[in-house]
Amino acid sequence: MSIIKRREWDSNFFNLNVGEIFSCPQKKEVDEIERISQEIINSGFQFMLHKHKLCDENNLDISVLSKLGFNYIDTHITLSLNLKVVDLERSHCEKKDETKSLTENVEVRLVEKSEKELIPKLQEIGEDLSKVSRFALDSNIPNGTVKLLYQNWILNGFESDMADHIYIAFGPKKDVLGFAYFLVDKEDSDVVDLSLLAVHPSTRGSGLGSKLMRKAFSDLQKNYVSCTVVVSLSNPKALSFYEKMGYRHVEAKQIYHAHYNLLNDLPNDLIN
């Protein structure tokens, strides 16, 4: 059974053959390392991902990943919130009175996917999301490509299956101030994942993000048990925000990328 799988969405977006290796052999497993390298070659993979779960019993031989062309990119923290016990009346992220007033006239509602006229504004507000992604931390991927990826992500929330629930915060003049995308977990229908959250730069620190989330939670808790989110370790402000909202750490995974120009970029001792 292959431990490498093609990532269809990534492949289509980047117009490259993108794969993911699900486990990394130990240095002494020479035959397995050779088999993986040959599979990369035979399948024509040009961009590879590996996620290493951090735990005591899951040791990783960095030298093997290095031989296979992988470089460390980031660490992702998965957090989870129990929607059945979250306190919606008294959020841990409540702001002082002078900042609460900034969100008093904000309406947060679930929007329909037919409301596509909202897409350009969401793309504008969500532009900064690309700066804290694993793709932005990879020097081999142009910044313009990363921005386009997130624009397409926001677009596909309305036009395809990149979001199941979309919540938007509107100001007094019906101007868009922030949004959140939620996607039902493919393996557990009781779990919903917060895949995108962004607020307008002028509203940061006002409590808008908390208000947006509380409204979403009040709806989502009727159909789901928990809400997960994945946050980059390089984004401490986001980590602090979710922890104050009541999220708890579940696991951490190191992210590794490898880029290949087919045979030219694989180490000689693995392809000869």
Side-chain angles (χ1 to χ4, degrees):
M1 182 178 178
S2 174
I3 62 170
I4 298 178
K5 183 179 180 180
R6 176 179 161 89
R7 294 176 63 91
E8 295 296 337
W9 193 91
D10 303 57
S11 297
N12 293 333
F13 174 79
F14 287 107
N15 196 27
L16 295 171
N17 195 5
V18 182
E20 179 174 356
I21 178 171
F22 290 95
S23 65
C24 181
Q26 297 299 307
K27 187 175 183 180
K28 62 182 179 181
E29 299 176 289
V30 178
D31 291 344
E32 181 65 4
I33 297 172
E34 174 64 20
R35 189 189 69 77
I36 292 172
S37 66
Q38 286 300 323
E39 185 172 349
I40 292 172
I41 295 169
N42 295 338
S43 300
F45 285 116
Q46 298 159 288
F47 178 20
M48 292 286 295
L49 165 70
H50 176 61
K51 300 178 182 179
H52 174 67
K53 183 177 179 179
L54 295 174
C55 57
D56 293 339
E57 58 272 11
N58 190 19
N59 296 322
L60 177 66
D61 193 328
I62 300 295
S63 65
V64 174
L65 278 181
S66 180
K67 278 190 174 183
L68 290 170
F70 283 86
N71 292 300
Y72 172 78
I73 299 296
D74 196 10
T75 296
H76 284 181
I77 310 297
T78 299
L79 303 102
S80 180
L81 178 72
N82 187 334
L83 291 173
K84 300 303 183 182
V85 300
V86 62
D87 187 349
L88 299 175
E89 298 300 324
R90 183 178 178 276
S91 168
H92 292 287
C93 278
E94 287 286 2
K95 300 294 179 179
K96 295 179 181 179
D97 291 341
E98 62 267 26
T99 58
K100 283 184 188 179
S101 62
L102 298 175
T103 63
E104 283 179 349
N105 296 319
V106 171
E107 176 197 9
V108 178
R109 68 175 175 88
L110 177 69
V111 301
E112 301 293 334
K113 289 200 173 190
S114 60
E115 299 180 70
K116 296 182 181 180
E117 69 278 4
L118 297 167
I119 294 174
K121 188 60 179 179
L122 300 192
Q123 290 175 325
E124 179 184 334
I125 292 175
E127 185 172 336
D128 284 349
L129 291 172
S130 64
K131 298 177 182 178
V132 292
S133 77
R134 64 182 174 92
F135 300 108
L137 297 174
D138 187 333
S139 60
N140 289 287
I141 303 177
N143 290 336
T145 300
V146 182
K147 288 182 180 180
L148 181 60
L149 185 153
Y150 275 82
Q151 289 177 350
N152 284 347
W153 190 339
I154 292 169
L155 172 69
N156 288 328
F158 284 84
E159 296 193 345
S160 66
D161 59 355
M162 296 296 284
D164 292 309
H165 310 283
I166 301 174
Y167 285 84
I168 295 182
F170 295 91
K173 298 180 179 180
K174 302 304 179 184
D175 46 326
V176 177
L177 299 178
F179 67 91
Y181 277 25
F182 295 88
L183 187 65
V184 179
D185 192 292
K186 290 181 174 60
E187 298 179 355
D188 187 347
S189 59
D190 286 334
V191 178
V192 65
D193 179 61
L194 172 62
S195 55
L196 292 177
L197 173 65
V199 297
H200 193 279
S202 65
T203 69
R204 290 172 188 166
S206 69
L208 177 65
S210 298
K211 183 169 185 173
L212 178 57
M213 295 289 281
R214 288 198 303 274
K215 167 56 179 172
F217 292 158
S218 69
D219 292 345
L220 295 170
Q221 66 182 190
K222 299 170 186 175
N223 299 303
Y224 305 101
V225 174
S226 62
C227 178
T228 58
V229 64
V230 177
V231 186
S232 168
L233 189 62
S234 61
N235 190 2
K237 288 185 178 180
L239 272 173
S240 177
F241 170 79
Y242 291 116
E243 289 168 349
K244 289 176 181 177
M245 288 292 296
Y247 277 86
R248 296 293 177 261
H249 288 227
V250 175
E251 66 178 18
K253 290 183 178 180
Q254 291 178 330
I255 306 300
Y256 295 84
H257 286 179
H259 297 267
Y260 306 112
N261 182 17
L262 299 181
L263 295 181
N264 293 335
D265 287 344
L266 279 169
N268 290 331
D269 59 341
L270 291 180
I271 65 177
N272 289 338

